[in-house]
Amino acid sequence: MTEHTHEFQAEVAKLLDIVTHSLYSEKEIFLRELVSNSSDACDRLRYAALTAPELIKDDPEFKVTISIDDKAKTLTIEDNGIGMSEPEMIENLGTIARSGTSRFSQELTGDAAKDVNLIGQFGVGFYSAFMVADKVTVTSLKAGEKKATTWTSNGQGTFDVEPGARETRGTTIVLHMRKEAKEFLEPMRLRNIIKTYADHIALPVILKAAKEGDEDETLNSASALWTRAKSDITEEQYTEFYHHVGHAFDNPWMTIHSRAEGRIEYTMLLFIPEQPPFDLFNPERKSRLKLYVKRVFITDDCEELIPAYMRFLRGVVDSEDLPLNVSREMLQHNPVLQKIRGGLIKKVIGELEKKAAKDGENFAKFWDNFGAVLKEGIYEDAVHGERILKMALFKSTGKEGETNLADYVGRMKEGQEAIYYITGDDLGALKSSPQLEGFAAKGIEVLLLADAVDSFWLSRITEFEGKPFKSVTRGSAELEKIKGAEEKKDESEKAEDSEMDSLIALFKTALADKVKDVRQSSRLTGSPVCLVADEGDMDIHLEKLLKAHKQFGASESLRILELNPKHALIKKLAASAKKNGTSEALEDAALLLLDQAHIVEGDPVADPVAFSKRMADFMAGSISA
Ligand code: ADP
Ligand code: MG
């Protein structure tokens, strides 16, 4: 420990511990990570040099050089990229800045097998160096600066940062290889790894000759992958490129590689991940597509390139028509970029439609991961929203798995005019909603919509192919008009209409300012009561969502309380109402049943103390010794 010693961020220390002590099988990926970082560093400098060409004047050929020192048992990876200043080194090589880090850290279990899998998804980046090295030295000089810095660590809790010796810009990483990792000091092994993992890197990766006088050897193709013909690219190469460009560690679920020619020329190489990233629903999460202009990296922070509802995409877009000196500000409202964006959306939606039609099972996997994101497009994208709605999959009461709307419509019952749905935030709770009972009894399918976004698109989109969407928690249920699968005649079990009329009148008085109306229900079979919204009022769940986001006035709309005339309790109450008129017990029952209906909706009880007292009194009255 010296004054130059720093401690790793807790997450990094944990990560390093696992990386060095678990038997992570794919040790060779350390080279991919380091070369990938070098390539990123060169990309960033190339961009900076567009406006400050003096930064690269003395050394304009970007490259990564690998050299082996057999005697010292070291492997050195060097680049002439942008480099790091001292504070940048402390920040970049001592913490993990990536979003989702704390969540990642929480999910580490301490069980090596499970954690290795998690690391595989999260990625170790620079820290993978410690899988093969027991000491790592990084010396870096930031382009345009004069003082180099050296960072050293054995990966155990701390690292040292001191002035370093490097005359030219860039970064040198020296790995002191562990005994069991000496295979990575063999040229053959390195050649293979680079071919496998870094062939797509657009700058040369050079293996330094072992002896003075021998030729250095370029190990990769050193041309940007997306510029090559599709037929020349293997699936493995696409996957490796995806890992590099998307900072991802899974496989692409879909790869879209296409060139647009004509008035506007651009190439896109896009990937849809197989696994959802940790921070998919982070509101600050932006596009991660990389924008290139004529092979020069411009930015990976360009919101104009894709809409937010496609934020799951990874990859690159390379334009021939934007000026090379385009500044990030110029990208806003840029007509060329707008055209590219339009083309890209069309292409992605087209490919997804094809997949949905050809391979529904596989498409369902995509939908599970990203459907909730893509659905934002249903209401945000006036042009493509309808096509997204058409491919959308929904859970439903009628079918295991998921259904699209066309199939739902195909299964609609005779006399059924609407597409029925219920929204909520928990699928389990939705399935047991009392409002579904009557529909279930008639075999009428109801869509179970549990994503927050569902309430939003449903407030804008009113129909699908002429069939209106209708919430089962709003308006009257109209169940009488629909021919059920097997209609049971249980009319005899119902309370008499005249009894129900007395009960309803009495409930209306007791609940005067608490409900909008009280009425008989046709949608209940097992539960005594439920709440529904009036035809013109806002859906119950949407109102709750808006309230949670403080979007709606504090006042809640009053609901309609529906009573099930077939329920034993309601029958008893109705008989008593007709025979004896109003009583304290009946008033208590009205209030209790209303509270109960709210509880089923997941609402808090308005006055828990009064509720408990009433409940106890009511039970006391109903139990005879
Ligand atoms: P990531 O590449 O996903 O950002 P890494 O752990 O691989 O994560 O790298 C951490 C950071 O360290 C990089 O984002 C970059 O800022 C910096 N870095 C790593 N290697 C280099 C390098 N060769 N040149 C310049 N900066 C580097
Ligand atoms: Mg990296």
Side-chain angles (χ1 to χ4, degrees):
M1 277 269 196
T2 71
E3 74 218 83
H4 306 295
T5 306
H6 301 251
E7 268 179 39
F8 283 116
Q9 178 194 24
E11 280 87 0
V12 177
K14 247 194 213 175
L15 188 76
L16 280 172
D17 193 51
I18 296 163
V19 161
T20 49
H21 291 112
S22 71
L23 300 166
Y24 195 61
S25 57
E26 296 168 79
K27 293 206 189 309
E28 76 244 33
I29 61 128
F30 79 94
L31 197 54
R32 159 183 89 190
E33 294 301 325
L34 299 182
V35 170
S36 178
N37 284 347
S38 289
S39 164
D40 288 348
C42 292
D43 269 357
R44 271 185 283 147
L45 180 56
R46 197 184 275 126
Y47 176 73
L50 292 175
T51 44
E54 68 281 1
L55 288 178
I56 59 168
K57 222 169 49 213
D58 55 330
D59 183 12
E61 302 292 330
F62 290 102
K63 59 179 186 288
V64 184
T65 312
I66 301 176
S67 37
I68 302 167
D69 186 332
D70 267 326
K71 276 208 202 82
K73 302 272 180 278
T74 57
L75 185 68
T76 300
I77 293 113
E78 180 173 2
D79 66 65
N80 55 356
I82 196 159
M84 284 175 274
S85 63
E86 184 184 307
E88 283 173 338
M89 262 179 143
I90 294 171
E91 169 75 20
N92 296 338
L93 309 184
T95 62
I96 313 175
R98 229 170 316 150
S99 56
T101 306
S102 60
R103 161 113 192 266
F104 166 77
S105 176
Q106 281 160 20
E107 291 196 7
L108 290 174
T109 58
D111 171 348
K114 280 191 199 134
D115 288 347
V116 163
N117 192 6
L118 192 65
I119 289 171
Q121 283 176 42
F122 184 77
V124 243
F126 167 77
Y127 304 108
S128 60
F130 289 97
M131 297 197 296
V132 294
D134 47 23
K135 181 178 161 194
V136 178
T137 308
V138 184
T139 303
S140 195
L141 177 63
K142 178 136 186 177
E145 294 187 3
K146 293 206 171 60
K147 275 196 230 134
T149 312
T150 292
W151 178 104
T152 317
S153 177
N154 59 10
Q156 293 175 14
T158 64
F159 58 90
D160 283 4
V161 177
E162 288 169 277
R166 214 194 128 104
E167 302 293 316
T168 53
R169 69 156 204 264
T171 304
T172 309
I173 300 180
V174 181
L175 308 174
H176 299 263
M177 302 302 271
R178 294 172 191 279
K179 261 204 218 81
E180 63 280 13
K182 60 177 192 300
E183 59 182 286
F184 301 112
L185 293 169
E186 288 161 21
M188 257 321 273
R189 186 81 170 96
L190 296 177
R191 244 176 239 128
N192 276 329
I193 298 174
I194 295 296
K195 259 290 170 225
T196 313
Y197 292 111
D199 192 57
H200 57 77
I201 298 273
L203 60 160
V205 179
I206 297 164
L207 182 63
K208 260 242 172 304
K211 281 190 300 215
E212 203 69 38
D214 283 2
E215 287 255 338
D216 293 348
E217 179 187 357
T218 301
L219 301 180
N220 64 336
S221 310
S223 71
L225 188 82
W226 64 90
T227 61
R228 303 182 207 166
K230 265 174 149 169
S231 52
D232 294 342
I233 307 174
T234 64
E235 202 181 313
E236 289 73 30
Q237 286 174 319
Y238 275 130
T239 300
E240 278 314 320
F241 183 70
Y242 162 67
H243 289 165
H244 167 69
V245 76
H247 292 259
F249 304 88
D250 54 341
N251 290 320
W253 175 79
M254 180 187 266
T255 301
I256 301 171
H257 185 185
S258 90
R259 200 183 317 271
E261 274 153 0
R263 268 194 303 148
I264 295 203
E265 282 182 32
Y266 58 91
T267 302
M268 58 181 136
L269 176 48
L270 308 176
F271 301 96
I272 297 176
E274 200 172 58
Q275 287 171 348
F278 283 89
D279 55 346
L280 187 63
F281 291 100
N282 180 350
E284 271 140 54
R285 188 192 172 79
K286 295 189 197 134
S287 148
R288 296 275 177 79
L289 285 192
K290 294 195 175 191
L291 176 66
Y292 283 71
V293 172
K294 300 183 187 75
R295 258 77 53 218
V296 178
F297 170 74
I298 304 294
T299 177
D300 57 3
D301 182 14
C302 178
E303 284 178 67
E304 316 279 310
L305 205 50
I306 48 165
Y309 71 82
M310 286 193 173
R311 59 185 176 272
F312 49 82
L313 288 175
R314 297 288 180 277
V316 305
V317 175
D318 188 355
S319 158
E320 298 295 325
D321 302 293
L322 289 166
L324 250 181
N325 62 357
V326 69
S327 68
R328 285 177 197 160
E329 293 69 45
M330 276 170 66
L331 292 173
Q332 284 169 18
H333 312 296
N334 182 298
V336 175
L337 207 57
Q338 293 300 322
K339 289 241 168 60
I340 295 178
R341 174 189 167 108
L344 188 152
I345 297 174
K346 221 168 109 188
K347 181 77 190 170
V348 173
I349 292 197
E351 291 298 318
L352 286 173
E353 281 171 342
K354 269 193 241 163
K355 194 71 144 194
K358 265 207 322 244
D359 186 358
E361 210 174 301
N362 200 359
F363 180 77
K365 283 188 204 153
F366 158 79
W367 194 263
D368 274 352
N369 288 335
F370 303 117
V373 175
L374 193 65
K375 270 191 283 188
E376 294 169 13
I378 296 176
Y379 63 96
E380 276 176 6
D381 191 328
V383 181
H384 302 96
E386 219 167 293
R387 288 169 71 183
I388 299 174
L389 184 62
K390 219 168 169 169
M391 71 172 97
L393 297 179
F394 302 100
K395 297 258 181 342
S396 123
T397 55
K399 204 170 161 283
E400 276 303 308
E402 294 174 306
T403 181
N404 63 25
L405 292 173
D407 289 348
Y408 174 98
V409 169
R411 289 189 296 269
M412 274 167 54
K413 294 268 181 278
E414 201 185 323
Q416 179 181 351
E417 267 151 27
I419 299 172
Y420 289 106
Y421 68 87
I422 183 165
T423 50
D425 40 34
D426 176 71
L427 198 63
L430 276 186
K431 279 186 188 157
S432 46
S433 299
Q435 291 95 337
L436 293 177
E437 291 170 0
F439 292 86
K442 286 207 166 191
I444 301 163
E445 202 172 329
V446 178
L447 301 177
L448 304 167
L449 308 181
D451 291 322
V453 55
D454 290 320
S455 289
F456 295 109
W457 69 259
L458 279 162
S459 65
R460 300 268 186 93
I461 312 290
T462 52
E463 57 157 63
F464 172 76
E465 296 182 346
K467 309 274 185 242
F469 288 103
K470 192 159 185 341
S471 168
V472 300
T473 66
R474 181 160 58 181
S476 59
E478 304 158 348
L479 279 170
E480 306 75 28
K481 288 191 227 151
I482 305 171
K483 282 230 165 57
E486 72 250 28
E487 292 229 44
K488 285 197 213 97
K489 282 266 171 246
D490 55 357
E491 290 296 303
S492 59
E493 298 167 23
K494 257 171 87 169
E496 272 172 39
D497 277 349
S498 63
E499 292 174 342
M500 283 304 291
D501 289 345
S502 314
L503 184 66
I504 286 169
L506 201 147
F507 266 42
K508 277 187 187 169
T509 317
L511 305 175
D513 53 348
K514 297 189 172 64
V515 294
K516 192 163 186 178
D517 198 6
V518 180
R519 68 186 182 206
Q520 280 207 45
S521 183
S522 66
R523 78 188 90 213
L524 293 173
T525 59
S527 305
V529 291
C530 73
L531 287 173
V532 297
D534 202 3
E535 197 71 61
D537 285 348
M538 191 177 281
D539 190 64
I540 297 181
H541 183 64
L542 177 61
E543 188 176 283
K544 259 191 243 172
L545 271 179
L546 293 181
K547 248 189 103 183
H549 290 89
K550 305 209 166 35
Q551 292 259 331
F552 201 60
S555 75
E556 250 172 86
S557 332
L558 291 180
R559 301 303 176 194
I560 296 169
L561 182 70
E562 288 197 348
L563 310 181
N564 177 4
K566 294 175 205 159
H567 193 278
L569 174 62
I570 301 293
K571 280 198 283 187
K572 263 194 183 169
L573 295 174
S576 163
K578 188 171 178 202
K579 207 167 124 206
N580 313 319
T582 188
S583 70
E584 207 175 320
L586 280 178
E587 269 172 41
D588 276 352
L591 291 162
L592 278 170
L593 283 168
L594 178 63
D595 277 338
Q596 192 179 315
H598 275 296
I599 290 171
V600 172
E601 288 301 322
D603 298 337
V605 173
D607 185 347
V609 176
F611 171 76
S612 307
K613 185 174 177 311
R614 224 172 267 132
M615 179 77 119
D617 290 352
F618 198 79
M619 285 192 286
S622 69
I623 292 172
S624 42

